[in-house]
Amino acid sequence: LDEEKDLLKEFIDKQLKSFRKGQKLLGIFPFVDENNIPLYYKVKFLKEDGKKETPYYHIENGKVINSRGSSEVIYNKYNVINGIANKKSVVIVEGEKDANTINNLLRTSGYVATSIKGCKDLELFKNNKVKIVVIGDTGEAGDKYVNYVKKELFPYVGSFKIVTLPGLKRLGNNKDVTDWLDAGNTKDNLLAALKRSLDLKNIKELQQDN
């Protein structure tokens, strides 16, 4: 993985000195298979006009190819498979950066994070023992993503929560869990939000008490 990343960074450096001059590299996100072998990389660039571009690359015979080279897989697939086997809750977010944020913060707290954006093969989750937690970005695109996840997975999983992070909407449009944490919220705040969210699959939790 490190060898491939070095090869890719070298390739990207050349692009940043040529036709991507003036752009800024925001992140390199490896997508792996069930054996933790890299399939392709998603790279995020910030253009001079403030817009983001996210091309795909893969390595073939020691060369970087400017394409995905395979069908899309969920982000962090190897760790998600292991997390499900160890009865961890799967936190589904929109971006790879947010998945990394949650995985770094909640590594020992019974959660594993992923993004399923663009991925059609979701059989891994369709098991009544799987516990799903969705944290959407603010705005229309975030709502669409949450609704997509619910439509695809809700009928098949054992537990399904949609988490509203307190104060996230006040941060503005297209804001995410990383922005929320950067705004001063803590790991404890995040865990509290995850725990107090209702499990929409549990009828008892939806009953109003006295």
Side-chain angles (χ1 to χ4, degrees), residues 12 22 30 42 46 81 92 103 113 116 129 140 143 146 154 162:
I12 290 166
K42 185 176 182 180
L46 182 66
I81 290 170
I92 297 179
N103 285 323
I116 65 169
K129 289 177 183 169
E140 192 181 339
D143 290 342
V146 171
F154 184 81
I162 297 172

Side-chain angles (χ1 to χ4, degrees), residues 80-105:
V80 170
I81 290 170
N82 284 320
I84 289 171
N86 289 303
K87 299 180 180 175
K88 288 187 174 186
S89 293
V90 180
V91 182
I92 297 179
V93 288
E94 206 164 328
E96 297 80 21
K97 173 195 69 173
D98 297 323
N100 289 349
T101 297
I102 288 172
N103 285 323
N104 288 331
L105 199 62

Side-chain angles (χ1 to χ4, degrees), residues 9-210:
K9 278 179 184 171
E10 201 178 303
F11 185 85
I12 290 166
D13 281 342
K14 285 178 185 171
Q15 288 193 337
L16 288 168
K17 286 170 187 166
S18 55
F19 75 96
R20 291 195 184 279
K21 202 167 184 179
Q23 295 185 15
K24 185 182 173 187
L25 174 65
L26 296 179
I28 297 173
F29 304 98
F31 283 73
V32 300
D33 66 12
E34 60 276 9
N35 299 310
N36 211 23
I37 294 166
L39 296 170
Y40 58 85
Y41 298 82
K42 185 176 182 180
V43 180
K44 203 166 277 189
F45 295 99
L46 182 66
K47 294 160 73 175
E48 288 181 286
D49 61 5
K51 291 179 180 172
K52 289 173 187 170
E53 192 180 339
T54 52
Y56 291 95
Y57 302 83
H58 73 280
I59 314 285
E60 210 173 286
N61 301 322
K63 286 186 179 179
V64 179
I65 313 291
N66 209 156
S67 70
R68 196 171 62 230
S70 72
S71 56
E72 293 213 44
V73 295
I74 64 163
Y75 185 59
N76 198 31
K77 184 173 184 176
Y78 175 77
N79 289 323
V80 170
I81 290 170
N82 284 320
I84 289 171
N86 289 303
K87 299 180 180 175
K88 288 187 174 186
S89 293
V90 180
V91 182
I92 297 179
V93 288
E94 206 164 328
E96 297 80 21
K97 173 195 69 173
D98 297 323
N100 289 349
T101 297
I102 288 172
N103 285 323
N104 288 331
L105 199 62
L106 304 184
R107 194 178 298 280
T108 58
S109 302
Y111 296 92
V112 60
T114 183
S115 169
I116 65 169
K117 209 169 187 180
C119 181
K120 291 183 171 63
D121 180 10
L122 302 174
E123 289 306 309
L124 168 64
F125 301 112
K126 295 180 178 180
N127 178 325
N128 62 11
K129 289 177 183 169
V130 174
K131 296 174 284 186
I132 298 290
V133 177
V134 191
I135 306 177
D137 294 358
T138 58
E140 192 181 339
D143 290 342
K144 275 186 183 172
Y145 184 67
V146 171
N147 288 333
Y148 166 74
V149 177
K150 188 177 180 186
K151 177 173 167 274
E152 291 295 318
L153 301 184
F154 184 81
Y156 309 103
V157 298
S159 166
F160 194 97
K161 293 182 174 187
I162 297 172
V163 176
T164 304
L165 297 172
L168 180 62
K169 281 188 179 176
R170 287 199 298 274
L171 298 178
N173 204 26
N174 295 323
K175 296 299 179 184
D176 53 43
V177 63
T178 306
D179 296 317
W180 185 77
L181 288 160
D182 288 344
N185 290 286
T186 64
K187 175 183 175 179
D188 287 342
N189 296 145
L190 179 58
L191 283 170
L194 294 174
K195 282 171 185 168
R196 75 167 162 261
S197 297
L198 292 175
D199 176 6
L200 301 179
K201 298 280 289 193
N202 187 338
I203 295 168
K204 289 177 186 172
E205 281 198 15
L206 295 174
Q207 299 302 315
Q208 191 170 18
D209 58 24
N210 292 332

